[in-house]
Amino acid sequence: MNKLANMNSVLCSIALAALSAHAQADVKIGLSGPFSGPMAADGQEYIDGFSLALEQLGGKLGGQDVTVTQGDDMMKPEIGSQVMRKFIERDRVDAIVGLGYSNIIMANLRRLKDSGVVSIAVAGGPSPMAGAQCAPNVFSIAYPNDGSGEAIGKLMQDKGYKNVYLMAPNYQAGKDMINGFKRWYKNAVAAEVYTQINQTDYSAEITQLQLAKKDAIFVFYPGSMGVNFIKQLKQAGVIGAVPVYSTFTVDGTNLPALRNAALGVVSGNTWNPSLQNPQNEKFVRAFEAKYKRTPGTYAANAYDAAMLLDVAVRKVKGDTSNKAAFAAAVKAAGAEFKSVRGRFSFNSNNMPIQDYHAFEMVQEGSHFTGRLLATPLSNHKDAYVSACPLK
């Protein structure tokens, strides 16, 4: 199959079933992410979280009919670029939601900025996007890549660890996360190891880790990488013998698969199903009833993205034709919509200002969940805002 034919198959426009009856939609949304391949479970979280919010909003954003077109980036930058071009040039969407992982965002940051189309990342915020390459129309509804790394770094510094072993995949988000950790953790680093993205066998690296002198471990392995890594770490006898701290390695997406293997692991995040606020309790209850599983972070962020857009579209009275005015409405809506995370607003660089928590994985009866352990950083602003020219 040649590349064009391949794209015709993966970029098929699929209006969400609940919305397919609207032949003349007022608001067009492009929803992109890794909808196939090893990270497809994460992409499904985007779809399910966004779809649930639209369903609760009566299939509308700001009172306007909506069409959602999906684009599968396969977690490959070249495919992601074709998805973005289609959304911008052919579909002429009003907003792009998802944007995939940081490798996809970085491959398209200039294109998104030049288009002026409102673009909302639900799974990260690379450091260049938060800093010198920020743009008035490009947002992260999630977090800067290193936010939770900063929180766990502060927590481990406060707990007095003296020699921590660091591991992450070798791509923008992995490097951002480790740098964020080291911004707050100031003691010795036993080793700093980067592995291939989408690696499945970590036996060599875990053997190396076991031989190293360390008093704790900090890792970042999102999606299916987290499942493979934590299972192998447990099988090697590391979990339970050495404190394991992480970010986005264990969450609602993969906890059902990990179960006992993840018990005791501490995970940094801005959200967890166990967070207690009315909006989150409504979201989790509805998600579990509809999809028969516990939502993960990306589902929560995608749900928030739809709720954010609902407020923004209402602020421009349904007229999204003025891209700059629509982007300004999205920014203002950040302080007005009800996030499942609790308090939320956008900083001047379009990155969230929010709380960063640490959750310990525990078993409550037959249920595996995250228990709030600490909130190392409250109402926290990212480290890159001073490099962003936006005010």
Side-chain angles (χ1 to χ4, degrees), residues 148-168:
S148 288
E150 288 184 309
I152 296 299
K154 182 177 186 303
L155 179 66
M156 295 185 76
Q157 179 74 26
D158 292 345
K159 285 183 171 293
Y161 291 108
K162 301 297 183 186
N163 198 23
V164 178
Y165 197 100
L166 311 178
M167 290 186 68

Side-chain angles (χ1 to χ4, degrees), residues 39-54:
M39 310 304 278
D42 290 351
Q44 192 62 46
E45 293 280 292
Y46 297 16
I47 296 170
D48 291 345
F50 198 82
S51 299
L52 176 62
L54 282 184

Side-chain angles (χ1 to χ4, degrees), residues 125-259:
S127 54
M129 170 180 155
Q133 297 180 43
C134 66
N137 62 306
V138 181
F139 299 82
S140 173
I141 191 74
Y143 24 68
N145 282 351
D146 59 4
S148 288
E150 288 184 309
I152 296 299
K154 182 177 186 303
L155 179 66
M156 295 185 76
Q157 179 74 26
D158 292 345
K159 285 183 171 293
Y161 291 108
K162 301 297 183 186
N163 198 23
V164 178
Y165 197 100
L166 311 178
M167 290 186 68
N170 188 15
Y171 75 124
Q172 184 72 48
K175 295 175 182 177
D176 285 346
M177 195 66 74
I178 295 298
N179 287 334
F181 176 88
K182 293 191 294 186
R183 191 172 298 124
W184 290 82
Y185 170 78
K186 300 299 183 184
N187 294 328
V189 171
E192 184 173 327
V193 177
Y194 293 95
T195 53
Q196 292 184 359
I197 193 167
N198 285 337
Q199 184 171 322
T200 57
D201 183 358
Y202 298 94
S203 55
E205 289 85 0
I206 290 174
T207 297
Q208 186 180 13
L209 179 155
Q210 289 176 297
L211 294 174
K213 292 182 178 179
K214 74 278 177 189
D215 57 6
I217 301 166
F218 169 69
V219 300
F220 164 64
Y221 282 105
S224 61
M225 290 185 286
V227 174
N228 291 323
F229 183 81
I230 291 296
K231 282 185 174 179
Q232 292 169 37
L233 206 61
K234 179 67 174 179
Q235 290 167 357
V238 177
I239 295 176
V242 181
V244 178
Y245 290 75
S246 67
T247 54
F248 306 107
T249 304
V250 180
D251 71 2
T253 309
N254 57 27
L255 195 53
L258 290 168
R259 299 174 64 83

Side-chain angles (χ1 to χ4, degrees), residues 88 93-94 114-118 137 320-328:
I88 294 167
V93 300
D94 298 297
D114 291 346
S115 74
V117 175
V118 165
N137 62 306
T320 57
S321 60
N322 185 326
K323 295 177 181 177
F326 186 35

Side-chain angles (χ1 to χ4, degrees), residues 3-190:
K3 185 173 291 186
L4 178 60
N6 187 40
M7 285 308 302
N8 285 337
S9 68
V10 299
L11 297 180
C12 56
S13 298
I14 305 171
L16 294 182
L19 308 172
S20 60
H22 299 292
Q24 297 294 327
D26 293 322
V27 178
K28 296 179 181 178
I29 303 295
L31 180 63
S32 72
F35 301 146
S36 64
M39 310 304 278
D42 290 351
Q44 192 62 46
E45 293 280 292
Y46 297 16
I47 296 170
D48 291 345
F50 198 82
S51 299
L52 176 62
L54 282 184
E55 181 179 291
Q56 292 179 348
L57 294 168
K60 298 177 183 291
L61 291 174
Q64 306 300 310
D65 292 339
V66 179
T67 291
V68 179
T69 300
Q70 294 181 16
D72 180 6
D73 63 36
M74 300 181 177
M75 208 177 171
K76 298 178 180 178
E78 67 276 16
I79 302 295
S81 295
Q82 295 179 57
V83 170
M84 299 304 166
R85 279 201 297 271
K86 176 179 177 291
F87 281 166
I88 294 167
E89 298 171 6
R90 196 171 87 186
D91 298 333
R92 297 184 180 279
V93 300
D94 298 297
I96 302 173
V97 176
L99 307 186
Y101 278 88
S102 293
N103 59 336
I104 309 297
I105 296 174
M106 289 309 302
N108 289 282
L109 191 52
R110 171 56 63 181
R111 177 176 290 109
L112 295 172
K113 183 177 181 177
D114 291 346
S115 74
V117 175
V118 165
S119 305
I120 304 174
V122 305
S127 54
M129 170 180 155
Q133 297 180 43
C134 66
N137 62 306
V138 181
F139 299 82
S140 173
I141 191 74
Y143 24 68
N145 282 351
D146 59 4
S148 288
E150 288 184 309
I152 296 299
K154 182 177 186 303
L155 179 66
M156 295 185 76
Q157 179 74 26
D158 292 345
K159 285 183 171 293
Y161 291 108
K162 301 297 183 186
N163 198 23
V164 178
Y165 197 100
L166 311 178
M167 290 186 68
N170 188 15
Y171 75 124
Q172 184 72 48
K175 295 175 182 177
D176 285 346
M177 195 66 74
I178 295 298
N179 287 334
F181 176 88
K182 293 191 294 186
R183 191 172 298 124
W184 290 82
Y185 170 78
K186 300 299 183 184
N187 294 328
V189 171

